[in-house]
Amino acid sequence: MAYVDWEFAKTTGRTLVPAGPGVTRAQAEAEVAAIREAAAAARTPVAETARLATPDDAPDALVVDRATWIAVNADSMSAMLDPTFDAIVEKRGGDTPNATVQAFGSKVTGAEAGALLAFMASKVLGQYDLAPGGTPALMLVAPNIMAVAEELRVDRDDFRRWVCMHEETHRVQFTANPWLRDHLVAEARALAVELAPDQDRLQEIAGRVAEKLPDLFREGSTGVAELFTTPEQREHLAGLTAVMSLLEGHADVVMDDVGPAHIPTVAQIRARFTQRRKGAGAPDRLLRRLLGLEAKMRQYRDGAVFVRGVQDTVGVEGFNAVWASPDTLPLAREIADPQAWVRRVHG
């Protein structure tokens, strides 16, 4: 039986997501074509700068609207989490609620998932969808790229190129290293099962909610994970976060290295985009902290420092040893100490 009604999540997400910029059909079609062109143009310079070879038959980027982004992510979340739910039930002895209770619960969780997807769908500029069990693909969210370019008052052509450079790096990371996708999916599923609390743990968490909730909104919080995790679980989570920091930081470094030769106003875009991250309103900042999105912003910064530190010591080719296997991915402590990774991997 379904534990989350993913179709209801899609419906909820489409209902709640804000409308995109008001444009005519001709303007929308022109924007989609321009993003596709920018994505295609990013492939060669990103591959040359990253020195990673991606297969010629790797799928092209998909340009999508917010509703499509919600639908694709709901399908991916279903493929990622449904086997996890089965493992959690087995872990708890196979007890499941009756059909009526489970059907009602799946609607509730579907609505919650849809609300989260609606919030994210208005924020995300691009994403490499791992699509567990399906075909992974790079998605570029056209209305968000248009909206942010207008908000920042930057050159729209340059902004499209800038976004596509970053997201193309993610496509290269996974298509040039096919093992990475399977590794991340397996790690995420294992962590989800590990994080699922038993009855005693649920009672403990319930008793700590009032005490710990204010901490979730403080600067530097990693979000609700702090409330639900034990020290051992946080260590496992830190390992997965280290890999995400690597991916995001590497994309930022490649984008910045490629940018000056292909994006005339890259410095202005970077400065205004960074300021935009800092300038969100108080309610938005609180929600981002609760969801752990501010922690994601730190991944860009910390990961970029790691990548630069390694490349300054062993060059781009030496850094690319990071993609050899799961054993060469950075450990959590190595993100803050690039030379420790160099010593471990390169001796």
Side-chain angles (χ1 to χ4, degrees):
M1 296 183 67
Y3 298 93
V4 179
D5 188 331
W6 293 108
E7 291 304 315
F8 192 61
K10 295 177 187 179
T11 300
T12 302
R14 288 194 298 266
T15 302
L16 295 179
V17 70
V23 295
T24 66
R25 182 179 182 85
Q27 289 172 322
E29 290 175 348
E31 181 68 20
V32 168
I35 294 173
R36 283 178 179 151
E37 182 180 351
R43 296 182 69 160
T44 298
V46 165
E48 290 176 348
T49 302
R51 298 182 195 174
L52 292 172
T54 185
D56 292 336
D57 60 352
D60 292 333
L62 303 176
V63 183
V64 301
D65 58 14
R66 291 172 176 175
T68 302
W69 185 90
I70 288 171
V72 171
N73 273 269
D75 288 340
S76 290
M77 291 172 69
S78 174
M80 173 75 80
L81 295 178
D82 286 349
T84 301
F85 294 142
D86 293 334
I88 291 171
V89 170
E90 183 178 347
K91 175 183 175 182
R92 294 179 176 177
D95 292 334
T96 60
N98 64 50
T100 301
V101 171
Q102 189 161 327
F104 177 77
S106 70
K107 291 289 186 186
V108 173
T109 52
E112 292 170 342
L116 176 60
L117 288 170
F119 174 78
M120 295 299 298
S122 64
K123 308 291 183 184
V124 173
L125 299 177
Q127 171 199 2
Y128 189 81
D129 174 38
L130 295 181
T135 302
L138 172 60
M139 290 189 293
L140 299 162
V141 189
N144 296 349
I145 294 174
M146 291 184 70
V148 174
E150 182 176 352
E151 175 189 341
L152 298 181
R153 301 191 307 278
V154 294
D155 183 277
R156 295 190 179 211
D157 290 338
D158 282 3
F159 187 72
R160 290 188 203 100
R161 296 187 191 103
W162 189 73
V163 172
C164 289
M165 293 289 182
H166 179 99
E167 301 303 337
E168 172 63 17
T169 306
H170 287 316
R171 195 182 75 93
V172 168
Q173 289 165 347
F174 286 96
T175 55
N177 308 288
W179 65 266
L180 184 58
R181 173 195 176 216
D182 293 337
H183 173 72
L184 280 182
V185 169
E187 285 293 297
R189 282 176 172 162
L191 182 60
V193 173
E194 184 181 327
L195 291 178
D198 56 24
Q199 191 62 37
D200 292 339
R201 178 69 177 150
L202 281 173
Q203 292 176 353
E204 177 189 343
I205 291 169
R208 296 174 58 205
V209 167
E211 172 191 352
K212 293 294 184 180
L213 192 58
D215 292 341
L216 301 184
F217 293 98
R218 76 179 190 278
E219 187 171 358
S221 167
T222 57
V224 293
E226 291 188 13
L227 183 63
F228 289 94
T229 54
T230 65
E232 294 78 12
Q233 291 167 344
R234 284 194 287 274
E235 183 177 354
H236 190 172
L237 183 60
L240 189 57
T241 299
V243 179
M244 301 309 297
S245 295
L246 165 71
L247 299 177
E248 297 295 358
H250 180 240
D252 261 13
V253 167
V254 171
M255 177 179 64
D256 286 346
D257 286 350
V258 172
H262 298 271
I263 306 171
T265 61
V266 63
Q268 181 194 64
I269 291 172
R270 166 64 79 184
R272 292 188 181 180
F273 195 78
T274 300
Q275 189 59 39
R276 175 180 179 268
R277 288 174 177 169
K278 298 177 181 177
D284 188 67
R285 286 200 302 273
L286 290 176
L287 184 57
R288 285 171 178 270
R289 286 175 189 171
L290 182 63
L291 295 176
L293 295 180
E294 283 203 352
K296 181 176 176 62
M297 294 302 102
R298 292 194 295 274
Q299 290 176 12
Y300 289 92
R301 181 192 65 229
D302 297 345
V305 170
F306 169 80
V307 174
R308 289 288 187 204
V310 172
Q311 290 185 351
D312 287 347
T313 303
V314 296
V316 175
E317 295 293 352
F319 164 79
N320 280 346
V322 79
W323 311 116
S325 75
D327 293 335
T328 56
L329 292 172
L331 306 175
R333 63 179 180 273
E334 291 171 341
I335 289 294
D337 185 3
Q339 298 311 308
W341 180 89
V342 172
R343 289 191 298 270
R344 178 171 68 86
V345 174
H346 289 281

